[in-house]
Amino acid sequence: MSASLESAGDDVLDAARAGNEYAFAAVYRATNPRLLRYATGLVGQDAEDVTAEAWLQIARDIAKFSGDEMAFRGWASTIVRNRAMDHVRAQARRPSFPMELTALDRPSPVDTETLAGEALSTNEALSLIATLPRDQAEAVLLRVVVGLDAVTAAKVLGKRPGAVRVAAHRGLRTLAARLQQPETAEATPEVTP
Amino acid sequence: MRHQALSPIEAEAALDGDLHGHAGLRALLEAARGPVQLHELHGLAAATAAFGTAPADGRESGRSARTLASRLAASALAVKIMLACLGAAALGGITYAGVNGNLPGTTHHSPAAPNHTSTSAHVAPPTAVPPGHAVGTRPGTGSTVAPDAALPGLCTSWLVSAHDPNRASDHRFTKLVNAAGDASAVTSYCTALSNPATHANAEHPSSTAHPTPRSQPHPSNFASITPPKPAHTQPPHPKPTPSGR
């Protein structure tokens, strides 16, 4: 699934749940990059603050968690999502939820055209995904970056798996179209519902 | 020029990292799931410190998360130093043991062998052995056995390299695998070794394949955490609600 990101493994997760600090560090190393990228799609540059808050709760409650690594990522993603909502409210950046995923600068059409022909960086890729409507961006990030299946992602988002699947597909179609036809991306910006 | 739209099958393949064609989208998704960047691990020290100060039974303490964060900030520097020393000490210890033929599991005792009742003499980092609980000391007896000084360090390396699928065949871990009895039991063995509640079991890994966890065995279904006690103000099971608590 996420070939370039590590997996801690269920046995290491079990060791962390049992109180082993090194196992917990390994779990962190395998999980936080995914969570941080997901949080970046939610709150942009404040993602590190959000994930740091989330890890305080994860560290406190991991002993009570039960499930495999996929389930752990789903649980941790839910915590990050809730913390992101709290953060947005506290900062009063958005008057109410649902928040818009516009914290990151939208790439210009020139950027998109350039990126389509060059090697993308992770941050550039996240920026492009973040230009999608919120539900589509979250679905893509949870499936692609966090590495969740449709069922687990649906539980994080409080939706049905079918709805998450459709949102992810729509988001990917939009991204594919932008990358294939950068000259038309400028005329049809996505609007958050 | 208009390109072919992404089909549902292709979209699902893209989500699974198995997209053929649509090079632009494929490159985008590969970049999004790209390798770990250094800044993405900056919070490791604080998270580990929070884990170390969490109640052993996982129950919520009376302190708020904000208070805990304040306390952790003060100790973050110390934890960073500790973690930096851990890697150097473990690597150096393993190398030293290998060069001197004093790998774990050997019965050779040199005159300069360290006092095994002192944690400072071990390769293991301070947190590998619970405070007041010397390696090799059987709980309740106070007697000492001949432990392998490098085992905690090897355990550290084993756990940190969890992502390495070939670690079981790595010659550096041969002694650790032998000590645990089997490669599949090493993680449990290491967990028990660093856990005072299960340390006694670690001395007999063949009889206890799994350490005693702090919580009940988990089912294989979706994530959940044990329901809270009524006194808790924060639901332990995370729900996609705005509060997150």
Side-chain angles (χ1 to χ4, degrees):
Chain A
M1 194 165 283
S2 297
S4 298
L5 291 172
E6 299 175 1
S7 293
D10 291 344
D11 55 347
V12 174
L13 178 60
D14 286 345
R17 290 175 53 243
N20 187 291
E21 289 191 10
Y22 304 116
F24 180 81
V27 169
Y28 178 95
R29 197 174 73 168
T31 309
N32 190 59
R34 302 171 189 269
L35 299 179
L36 187 59
R37 294 173 193 185
Y38 174 48
T40 298
L42 296 175
V43 296
Q45 295 180 347
D46 294 332
E48 289 195 13
D49 294 338
V50 167
T51 54
E53 287 274 341
W55 276 103
L56 293 180
Q57 181 175 345
I58 294 170
R60 187 187 63 207
D61 291 341
I62 191 172
K64 294 183 289 187
F65 167 82
S66 63
D68 58 15
E69 187 177 13
M70 171 86 72
F72 174 76
R73 287 185 206 155
W75 175 60
S77 298
T78 302
I79 294 174
V80 167
R81 190 170 191 264
N82 293 341
R83 287 288 175 272
M85 294 180 189
D86 291 344
H87 184 80
V88 168
R89 287 187 176 122
Q91 297 295 322
R93 290 177 179 171
R94 302 288 181 272
S96 64
F97 196 81
M99 57 190 163
E100 297 179 9
L101 289 174
T102 55
L104 296 175
D105 294 334
R106 287 174 180 267
S108 69
V110 175
D111 290 335
T112 306
E113 186 174 12
T114 301
L115 294 174
E118 297 180 354
L120 285 166
S121 73
T122 297
N123 289 340
E124 290 167 341
L126 295 176
S127 296
L128 282 173
I129 294 173
T131 61
L132 295 171
R134 179 182 58 86
D135 62 330
Q136 296 177 19
E138 281 200 84
V140 170
L141 287 170
L142 288 173
R143 293 292 309 275
V144 173
V145 176
V146 183
L148 304 182
D149 57 27
V151 174
T152 309
K155 292 192 176 188
V156 173
L157 298 173
K159 297 181 177 179
R160 287 177 287 108
V164 174
R165 191 174 291 112
V166 168
H169 289 187
R170 285 179 178 169
L172 291 182
R173 277 200 299 272
T174 300
L175 292 171
R178 286 180 183 173
L179 292 168
Q180 289 172 347
Q181 295 181 310
E183 67 274 13
T184 63
E186 184 178 17
T188 58
E190 291 289 339
V191 178
T192 302
Chain B
M1 173 177 112
R2 177 163 289 279
H3 297 263
Q4 185 176 6
L6 194 71
S7 70
I9 294 177
E10 289 175 321
E12 199 60 30
L15 294 172
D16 292 335
D18 192 28
L19 177 65
H20 300 285
H22 297 276
L25 179 62
R26 189 172 66 245
L28 169 71
L29 300 182
E30 287 176 356
R33 55 166 73 98
V36 175
Q37 301 170 12
L38 189 59
H39 76 88
E40 293 175 326
L41 302 178
H42 281 175
L44 175 61
T48 306
F51 181 76
T53 57
D57 60 356
R59 288 178 295 184
E60 186 177 1
S61 68
R63 294 187 295 271
S64 68
R66 296 282 183 187
T67 303
L68 181 60
S70 300
R71 292 172 52 236
L72 294 176
S75 62
L77 179 60
V79 173
K80 286 181 181 178
I81 295 173
M82 180 196 74
L83 290 176
C85 293
L86 288 186
L91 183 61
I94 294 169
T95 304
Y96 178 82
V99 169
N100 291 279
N102 195 23
L103 288 168
T106 60
T107 56
H108 169 73
H109 293 280
S110 70
N115 178 2
H116 292 302
T117 59
S118 171
T119 56
S120 62
H122 293 280
V123 176
T127 53
V129 180
H133 183 81
V135 171
T137 302
R138 295 179 183 273
T141 64
S143 63
T144 60
V145 297
D148 255 316
L151 278 180
L154 285 169
C155 279
T156 301
S157 300
W158 175 270
L159 292 171
V160 169
S161 61
H163 61 283
D164 181 3
N166 300 318
R167 62 176 175 169
S169 57
D170 192 326
H171 70 278
R172 294 178 304 163
F173 296 124
T174 300
K175 296 299 180 184
L176 181 60
V177 171
N178 291 339
D182 183 74
S184 62
V186 171
T187 299
S188 299
Y189 174 77
C190 291
T191 301
L193 191 65
S194 63
N195 189 333
T198 58
H199 180 64
N201 292 339
E203 295 172 358
H204 305 284
S206 59
S207 62
T208 55
H210 301 286
T212 303
R214 292 194 299 188
S215 58
Q216 292 78 17
H218 60 79
S220 58
N221 56 0
F222 181 67
S224 63
I225 51 180
T226 308
K229 297 199 172 180
H232 291 179
T233 58
Q234 176 177 350
H237 185 90
K239 296 178 181 177
T241 57
S243 67
R245 294 184 176 90

